[in-house]
Amino acid sequence: MSESHKFQLGTIGALSLSVVSSVSIVICNKALISTLGFTFATTLTSWHLLVTFCSLHVALWMKFFEHQPFDPRAVLGFGVLNGISIGLLNLSLGFNSVGFYQMTKLAIIPCTVVLETIFFRKKFSRKIQFSLVILLLGVGIATVTDLQLNMLGSVLSLLAVITTCVAQIMTNTIQKKYKVSSTQLLYQSCPYQAITLFVTGPFLDGLLTNQNVFAFKYTSQVVFFIVLSCLISVSVNFSTFLVIGKTSPVTYQVLGHLKTCLVLAFGYLLLKDAFSWRNILGILVAVIGMVLYSYYCTLETQQKAAETSTQLPQMDENEKDPLISVENGSGLISDNVVPKADPVWNSNKDFQA
């Protein structure tokens, strides 16, 4: 099996794992919050990250992966930023209407595209942009209801969008720059994310719910769902880093909106949530956008691979002729050599889905 086929299978596996685990944790957390009244989202997320770190530590001890330390400042900044972005998303939901919160999540894709275009000079074709517009339109129709605005909520949403975009771009870039796997990056950044949320979580949850997480009555049923949520979160966190590392932050956000549509569908089928023709129409439009995005991405990837394969024989011929190599050396470096990774600078966000 060729390396390209292995990469494609790995990508499909990562996407599938992300979808299944994310939909599962949303349904589990919905039962925990809506049915059992455990509304402490930020604190629960910190427990997710602590369990994820402990699981990865056991996996490291059993030599399932190799520890590869890299720039500690990058790890610290990345971990804290991820924790802050999760907290800001929860605050955005708490201080805004559900409709405005969904608009906040929709804004992450265009914001990511703008940041990658400005700072990394990444180009998105008009076809890709068109498919993203269709996707966002569909998810907007399906999920956005009311749009009540307030100054504090708007500022929190803006900060949530920016920190989330930067954190996801960093997830992709750090893996390429330092040549670390998704598991290695998650293992090293998890403690900082967990500590950030563990310290701020009870305060934020108390601010949003007017309840104390430590005074909550923990019945056996609540404890069961908390443990189940934490176990599923290991898969969610791992698949998040895996997907962004193998694809891109934009693709991860597209996948996130697919999860939103699936959650709406499963909520209707399993939990008997209210479902309207508007939801159905929005999901159908969103699916069309996702199919177009996947098709155009695959098409462009194949075109780039074909261009690379035609350029390599030309490079080999030029290397055989010293005169040609001297005359065209600078042109070969700038035009024909494909760098191993993009310029590099580069979540458990599914709980808020």
Side-chain angles (χ1 to χ4, degrees):
M1 185 180 291
S2 64
E3 289 296 323
S4 61
H5 284 133
K6 289 181 180 178
F7 179 81
Q8 289 175 357
L9 288 175
T11 303
I12 292 172
L15 294 172
S16 303
L17 177 63
S18 180
V19 170
V20 172
S21 58
S22 297
V23 173
S24 299
I25 201 170
V26 168
I27 293 174
C28 176
N29 289 340
K30 188 167 184 179
L32 186 60
I33 293 173
S34 301
T35 306
L36 301 175
F38 188 86
T39 56
F40 310 103
T42 309
T43 303
L44 180 61
T45 305
S46 71
W47 297 346
H48 287 171
L49 291 164
L50 285 172
V51 171
T52 299
F53 175 73
C54 292
S55 302
L56 290 175
H57 194 70
V58 172
L60 177 65
W61 178 70
M62 298 178 69
K63 297 183 179 180
F64 283 120
F65 70 96
E66 182 180 349
H67 181 46
Q68 185 177 333
F70 59 95
D71 188 355
R73 291 176 300 179
V75 178
L76 175 62
F78 171 70
V80 172
L81 182 64
N82 255 303
I84 291 173
S85 69
I86 295 172
L88 285 171
L89 280 170
N90 284 335
L91 284 173
S92 174
L93 178 58
F95 284 92
N96 290 300
S97 64
V98 174
F100 192 81
Y101 173 71
Q102 289 297 339
M103 285 297 295
T104 298
K105 295 187 72 175
L106 291 177
I108 293 175
I109 283 184
C111 182
T112 303
V113 170
V114 170
L115 289 177
E116 290 197 305
T117 302
I118 294 175
F119 293 103
F120 300 101
R121 297 182 180 179
K122 185 173 181 179
K123 295 180 179 179
F124 296 87
S125 67
R126 291 193 179 277
K127 292 180 179 179
I128 294 291
Q129 294 175 20
F130 172 73
S131 65
L132 290 175
V133 170
I134 297 296
L135 165 67
L136 295 176
L137 176 64
V139 177
I141 293 173
T143 61
V144 177
T145 52
D146 55 325
L147 287 177
Q148 300 173 10
L149 302 179
N150 65 81
M151 180 58 70
L152 178 59
S154 300
V155 172
L156 289 171
S157 293
L158 177 62
L159 292 174
V161 169
I162 293 174
T163 53
T164 300
C165 291
V166 173
Q168 291 182 358
I169 292 173
M170 287 180 69
T171 302
N172 180 269
T173 307
I174 285 176
Q175 291 186 54
K176 293 178 180 178
K177 180 177 182 178
Y178 296 103
K179 296 180 173 60
V180 294
S181 67
S182 55
T183 310
Q184 292 167 333
L185 177 58
L186 181 59
Y187 175 71
Q188 294 185 64
S189 63
C190 240
Y192 299 108
Q193 295 182 60
I195 290 171
T196 302
L197 293 175
F198 193 76
V199 172
T200 61
F203 170 75
L204 293 179
D205 289 333
L207 184 66
L208 295 172
T209 64
N210 293 321
Q211 297 182 55
N212 187 346
V213 65
F214 301 109
F216 187 81
K217 185 178 180 180
Y218 290 88
T219 64
S220 57
Q221 196 173 13
V222 171
V223 172
F224 171 79
F225 274 96
I226 289 175
V227 171
L228 179 62
S229 178
C230 288
L231 292 176
I232 299 174
S233 74
V234 177
S235 176
V236 172
N237 286 310
F238 174 71
S239 62
T240 295
F241 280 61
L242 193 62
V243 168
I244 296 177
K246 284 185 172 293
T247 56
S248 70
V250 174
T251 298
Y252 175 72
Q253 283 300 322
V254 171
L255 188 69
H257 292 306
L258 169 61
K259 298 170 193 174
T260 300
C261 294
L262 290 175
V263 168
L264 287 173
F266 278 110
Y268 172 72
L269 294 174
L270 300 179
L271 304 176
K272 304 303 179 183
D273 289 344
F275 210 64
S276 67
W277 284 105
R278 175 178 172 174
N279 297 132
I280 296 173
L281 174 63
I283 290 175
L284 291 176
V285 173
V287 168
I288 292 172
M290 292 173 204
V291 171
L292 289 174
Y293 178 80
S294 302
Y295 173 73
Y296 291 139
C297 281
T298 303
L299 200 63
E300 291 184 6
T301 301
Q302 291 174 347
Q303 288 174 349
K304 288 179 182 179
E307 290 173 2
T308 303
S309 63
T310 57
Q311 289 172 351
L312 288 176
Q314 295 177 7
M315 292 174 59
D316 293 337
E317 291 176 4
N318 290 340
E319 288 174 357
K320 293 177 183 178
D321 191 329
L323 181 60
I324 294 177
S325 297
V326 170
E327 291 177 348
N328 296 337
S330 60
L332 286 173
I333 293 174
S334 61
D335 298 329
N336 293 336
V337 176
V338 180
K340 292 182 180 178
D342 295 332
V344 281
W345 166 68
N346 296 298
S347 134
N348 189 19
K349 302 296 188 299
D350 295 291
F351 180 78
Q352 295 85 7

